[in-house]
Amino acid sequence: MDHELLTDEMVTELRAEIKAVAEASERRSSGKERLDLWEQGARVVLNRLGAKLTERELEALGREQERGPRACEQCSGKMRNVSRQAVTIQSIFGALLVKRRRFTCVQCARTDYPLDRYYGWEQHRFTSTAKEWVCLLAQGDCYQHAANVLRRVSGIAGTVESFREVVQECGGQLQAQQEEVVRLVNESAQPFPAVNPPSSWMLVGADGCQVLKSGAQVGRPKKGEKRARKRPARHQSGSKQKTRDRGMEIKVGLVGALVRKPGEREYQVEQKSYLATFAEAETFSDLLFAEGLSRGLHRAERVIVVGDGASWIWKRVAPLFPQREEIVDWYHLTEKVWETGEALYGSREHWVTRNWVEQQLDKLWEGKLNGVHRALHAQRLKWEPRAHNESALEAIHTLEHYLTEHAARMDYPRYRKLGLPIGSSEVESACKQVVAARMKCSGMQWRDHSAAALLPLRAEFLSGRWDQKWQRLRA
């Protein structure tokens, strides 16, 4: 920093303010009160000093951008320096008042502020660090709470809409970086980067979850319009009803290291990194592949891919890793068997339903898929002669097809012997941490562009790479 920025007047003022804070704290009787007053007073003094220094530094660095003759970018006419105007900028020291020059074209009357373009203030009046703080709080809490906290701890003042715009800007930049990485991976003929995996065995998981779409995206009638009321299409999931036409699917990916600690039989998932996007399956698989390369999965001895029965997981994601071991989520499989049992015998509370389902699950647990197929064949012969048997036969066919399609991914005795995870609890936990904890709170509804910008910020923070990614955004 240029030492001339800290003038004698500022030094004198700083000494007087610190002395005043010290004298005020000494008048307190208890040590706790004195410490509290000193901390609060010193913070105010240092924030005020930081604001003054930053204002002078911004203006000093920006003068180089305002010098010399200027040509209009629109008509190439001469730009004339009209005036010097002040603008309020939000920083981590609070509001700054920065003066910058305004230029006007003598031909087309276009107005230009070189300082705004130099510091990136065309859209938002925030410094880079203030933008980082906004995104850091907004990725973990609603915009209103983030605004209240920042105003309290740093003096950054802004509306909910301005915070949302900052998140969309920075999250959009992270999305662009991800797309650029995917393009380089797909187009580059160079070998994979020399990154060693944190463990010889790695885990890859993928799943989908939904967030509620805002009313503006589901055809909310405009003022004065009337629309016939339609009952939304609903489906039963456990004891809850979910409205299908109001959801937007988010695909979530997880990459983690499988670590077996001394004395333990099963592997634990550590050093997790996350990916979340609204993209289609093909784009999501490219993003997850790029994430896997950055974690060294191409050098891992074995990659365990765990997922439910979604076809896009096994057709798009799993084939990306040649040295893979595919495992169908056990708990998803059990739910499929329970659905079949309910179609055959009624409520799962009925003892006949429970008895039949538990028998099939015992066979699957021991790897006896042929026994389950024989039981389903017997049920088919039992139900075919009956009237009104469509739902039962459809349930039998669905489970038979599911077991046949995923038979190679259901060797649960061997998975247990190796200590591998047989459930997708890790990736379901990722859905809760990355998506639900931030975007599925009571009353929250989302537009796709607003949610899409928030997802990469949330994922990078939970992956422990916030500082690394933000350095690239500042570059």
Side-chain angles (χ1 to χ4, degrees):
M1 180 185 294
D2 190 346
H3 292 289
E4 293 181 358
L5 292 176
L6 191 62
T7 63
D8 294 339
E9 181 182 353
M10 294 172 65
V11 172
T12 302
E13 183 179 351
L14 177 62
R15 287 174 177 171
E17 290 178 346
I18 293 177
K19 182 178 179 181
V21 172
E23 291 176 351
S25 64
E26 289 176 357
R27 290 194 292 267
R28 300 290 181 172
S29 58
S30 69
K32 181 180 178 181
E33 290 180 348
R34 293 178 67 176
L35 178 59
D36 289 346
L37 184 59
W38 171 258
E39 281 186 322
Q40 295 173 13
R43 175 178 170 273
V44 171
V45 171
L46 294 176
N47 270 2
R48 190 180 297 125
L49 175 63
K52 290 181 179 179
L53 291 175
T54 305
E55 287 174 356
R56 295 170 65 88
E57 182 74 358
L58 288 174
E59 293 183 4
L61 292 175
R63 288 194 191 102
E64 296 294 330
Q65 304 300 315
E66 298 176 333
R67 291 177 180 173
R70 313 191 69 83
C72 178
E73 296 179 356
Q74 183 171 327
C75 68
S76 301
K78 183 179 179 180
M79 301 287 287
R80 183 168 56 91
N81 182 12
V82 177
S83 62
R84 195 170 185 84
Q85 294 185 347
V87 63
T88 301
I89 305 297
Q90 299 298 328
S91 77
I92 61 173
F93 302 113
L96 308 178
L97 194 63
V98 180
K99 294 181 180 180
R100 81 267 203 253
R101 292 181 180 179
R102 179 168 69 94
F103 291 82
T104 302
C105 178
V106 297
Q107 294 184 15
C108 66
R110 176 178 173 270
T111 300
D112 182 35
Y113 294 93
L115 210 60
D116 287 3
R117 287 191 289 107
Y118 180 65
Y119 288 121
W121 294 339
E122 297 97 335
Q123 296 181 352
H124 317 295
R125 310 292 192 191
F126 290 85
T127 63
S128 296
T129 306
K131 287 181 181 180
E132 179 186 359
W133 287 21
V134 169
C135 294
L136 185 60
L137 267 72
Q139 63 80 29
D141 205 345
C142 69
Y143 291 110
Q144 185 62 63
H145 291 172
N148 293 339
V149 171
L150 278 177
R151 186 180 297 108
R152 172 75 177 175
V153 302
S154 69
I156 297 177
T159 63
V160 170
E161 187 60 32
S162 66
F163 277 32
R164 184 181 290 110
E165 291 175 355
V166 169
V167 167
Q168 289 180 13
E169 175 192 347
C170 299
Q173 293 175 3
L174 272 182
Q175 286 180 297
Q177 288 183 3
Q178 291 176 341
E179 294 170 359
E180 178 64 15
V181 170
V182 169
R183 186 188 67 81
L184 293 175
V185 169
N186 290 335
E187 296 180 0
S188 176
Q190 298 178 357
F192 295 145
V195 179
N196 291 322
S199 175
S200 58
W201 284 37
M202 299 290 290
L203 175 77
V204 172
D207 201 357
C209 58
Q210 291 194 340
V211 295
L212 193 62
K213 191 185 305 182
S214 71
Q217 290 182 283
V218 293
R220 177 180 291 175
K222 298 179 180 178
K223 187 176 181 180
E225 291 184 350
K226 292 185 178 180
R227 180 171 297 176
R229 295 183 62 186
K230 294 182 179 180
R231 298 188 65 182
R234 296 178 180 270
H235 68 286
Q236 193 75 17
S237 176
S239 61
K240 298 182 179 180
Q241 288 184 334
K242 299 181 180 180
T243 306
R244 289 176 174 171
D245 62 349
R246 290 296 302 276
M248 300 187 295
E249 186 183 42
I250 298 174
K251 292 180 174 60
V252 178
L254 165 71
V255 177
L258 288 174
V259 179
R260 179 185 284 169
K261 297 181 180 179
E264 294 187 1
R265 185 168 175 268
E266 297 182 352
Y267 283 95
Q268 303 297 323
V269 185
E270 299 181 354
Q271 302 182 44
K272 308 170 190 175
S273 60
Y274 304 96
L275 171 69
T277 179
F278 282 109
E280 297 297 328
E282 182 177 0
T283 304
F284 173 80
S285 62
D286 289 341
L287 291 170
L288 189 58
F289 181 60
E291 174 66 22
L293 291 182
S294 69
R295 298 294 307 277
L297 259 65
H298 55 289
R299 292 191 167 193
E301 177 183 337
R302 181 73 66 177
V303 176
I304 310 301
V305 181
V306 180
D308 57 20
S311 60
W312 62 269
I313 296 177
W314 307 112
K315 292 181 180 179
R316 293 286 186 181
V317 176
L320 297 173
F321 310 102
Q323 70 282 33
R324 66 186 179 276
E325 180 83 48
E326 299 178 4
I327 301 176
V328 164
D329 173 27
W330 168 257
Y331 304 102
H332 184 268
L333 173 60
T334 61
E335 188 60 30
K336 288 286 185 182
V337 178
W338 273 109
E339 290 173 359
T340 305
E342 288 177 317
L344 297 176
Y345 295 105
S347 170
R348 64 180 62 191
E349 302 298 328
H350 197 284
W351 70 271
V352 178
T353 306
R354 292 201 308 271
N355 184 52
W356 185 87
V357 169
E358 289 173 358
Q359 288 179 8
Q360 311 317 312
L361 292 179
D362 288 342
K363 297 172 186 176
L364 292 170
W365 186 255
E366 298 300 329
K368 301 176 181 178
L369 268 70
N370 290 334
V372 181
H373 279 292
R374 286 194 294 269
L376 291 173
H377 180 68
Q379 290 292 332
R380 180 184 296 278
L381 296 177
K382 174 181 176 182
W383 280 91
E384 281 180 345
R386 300 185 182 183
H388 308 293
N389 59 0
E390 292 83 1
S391 60
L393 292 177
E394 182 180 358
I396 293 171
H397 174 74
T398 300
L399 184 57
E400 285 178 332
H401 176 74
Y402 186 89
L403 296 176
T404 301
E405 182 181 8
H406 300 292
R409 308 180 181 108
M410 296 181 180
D411 193 357
Y412 297 110
R414 185 170 69 86
Y415 303 151
R416 297 197 308 274
K417 184 177 180 180
L418 293 174
L420 298 176
I422 62 172
S424 60
S425 58
E426 291 292 342
V427 71
E428 289 179 1
S429 175
C431 290
K432 293 179 181 178
Q433 292 184 63
V434 179
V435 179
R438 173 61 181 91
M439 304 176 69
K440 298 182 74 172
C441 299
S442 177
M444 284 190 176
Q445 301 179 22
W446 295 88
R447 289 181 173 86
D448 51 3
H449 62 276
S450 179
L454 187 63
L455 288 173
L457 294 170
R458 178 81 175 154
E460 294 300 340
F461 175 78
L462 293 175
S463 300
R465 299 183 299 215
W466 183 268
D467 292 337
Q468 173 188 348
K469 293 295 182 179
W470 206 265
Q471 286 177 2
R472 293 189 61 188
L473 288 182
R474 285 193 174 119

